[in-house]
Amino acid sequence: MKMYKEFLVRFLRNLENELKLDIYPIKATIESKENFIVYEISNEEIVLSIDNKLLVKEIEISLTIYSKKYQKLRNIKEDLENLLFSIDKKPTDILIAGEDEENGFYYSNMFLTFKF
């Protein structure tokens, strides 16, 4: 359990530094920003062997990217995709949703699954 939490902290910090964006947990109060990412651990799954030994720990991270400008949203998504393929611990699954608009922001969801 500790290993995946350390990974999550490192992963989010790297995203924040590389993309130069603020990243917030889903329930956070978000200051007015032009571009930012909201994350949520949307699923945690533990696979045990017959004798209750941990075989696999799987987490799914939901990222929602927000931007006031459509082209900037597309650029952030592209940068994020490139970053995902350059990190040591690559996601086993990536699902990228299309773009939409709400409350003056363009946004897009990305779902990442990591196995430990």
Side-chain angles (χ1 to χ4, degrees), residues 27-56:
K27 295 182 180 183
T29 303
I30 299 169
E31 300 171 21
S32 181
K33 299 278 182 183
E34 286 285 315
N35 310 295
F36 59 93
I37 295 176
V38 173
Y39 76 92
E40 175 183 25
I41 306 303
S42 49
N43 189 25
E44 290 183 62
E45 189 173 312
I46 298 174
V47 178
L48 300 174
S49 66
I50 293 173
D51 56 351
N52 283 338
K53 292 187 179 173
L54 179 65
L55 294 177
V56 177

Side-chain angles (χ1 to χ4, degrees), residues 51-93:
D51 56 351
N52 283 338
K53 292 187 179 173
L54 179 65
L55 294 177
V56 177
K57 170 97 177 167
E58 189 175 277
I59 63 167
E60 183 179 271
I61 303 170
S62 169
L63 301 174
T64 305
I65 307 159
Y66 291 91
S67 180
K68 292 266 186 186
K69 297 181 180 173
Y70 180 75
Q71 189 56 48
K72 182 65 177 172
L73 174 68
R74 299 291 305 239
N75 293 344
I76 293 169
K77 281 175 63 174
E78 185 177 322
D79 292 346
L80 181 52
E81 287 176 52
N82 292 334
L83 182 61
L84 289 175
F85 292 114
S86 70
I87 60 177
D88 292 338
K89 179 82 175 151
K90 293 176 181 37
T92 55
D93 292 310

Side-chain angles (χ1 to χ4, degrees), residues 1-48:
M1 175 106 80
K2 183 179 175 188
M3 182 179 91
Y4 107 83
K5 287 186 180 186
E6 288 173 0
F7 164 78
L8 184 62
V9 168
R10 247 185 1 264
F11 174 73
L12 293 172
R13 189 174 300 133
N14 285 341
L15 282 183
E16 199 167 47
N17 292 337
E18 292 293 323
L19 299 174
K20 295 174 182 35
L21 294 174
D22 290 327
I23 299 179
Y24 300 96
I26 193 145
K27 295 182 180 183
T29 303
I30 299 169
E31 300 171 21
S32 181
K33 299 278 182 183
E34 286 285 315
N35 310 295
F36 59 93
I37 295 176
V38 173
Y39 76 92
E40 175 183 25
I41 306 303
S42 49
N43 189 25
E44 290 183 62
E45 189 173 312
I46 298 174
V47 178
L48 300 174

Side-chain angles (χ1 to χ4, degrees), residues 96-112:
I96 302 170
E99 295 88 13
D100 209 344
E101 184 181 9
E102 182 178 303
N103 297 327
F105 280 95
Y106 293 96
Y107 69 93
S108 181
N109 293 309
M110 186 176 286
F111 303 94
L112 311 171

